[in-house]
Amino acid sequence: ASSLQGHGQPKDADKCLDRLTQLKPWSWHPYLARGRLVRSRGDNVGARKVLATAQSINPKSGATALEIAAAYHCEGKLQDAIE
């Protein structure tokens, strides 16, 4: 999905992640990927919402925690990023 986004095909990236989520609703990976994609588009609040789903599925994911912290950091919410 990030490759599609990087090549100027954001709608295809969204479709790809929609399909992955449909195929593997129990997996946190598609939610993590979507959170990264949404954050790369500058929507940190939206990214945190998607990443919260990834975190609820796999609360031990360091990658998800890092993305959530980065989203808070990009908004200047440093205390939230630390927590």
Side-chain angles (χ1 to χ4, degrees), residues 15-53:
K15 287 179 189 177
C16 176
L17 291 172
D18 288 344
R19 183 71 176 138
L20 281 172
T21 303
Q22 290 172 354
L23 291 172
K24 296 184 175 190
W26 64 88
S27 176
W28 58 277
H29 290 100
Y31 296 100
L32 173 61
R34 183 175 302 280
R36 286 177 171 160
L37 189 65
V38 171
R39 195 169 76 78
S40 77
R41 294 174 179 167
D43 182 2
N44 292 299
V45 174
R48 286 198 324 269
K49 289 178 184 178
V50 176
L51 292 164
T53 301

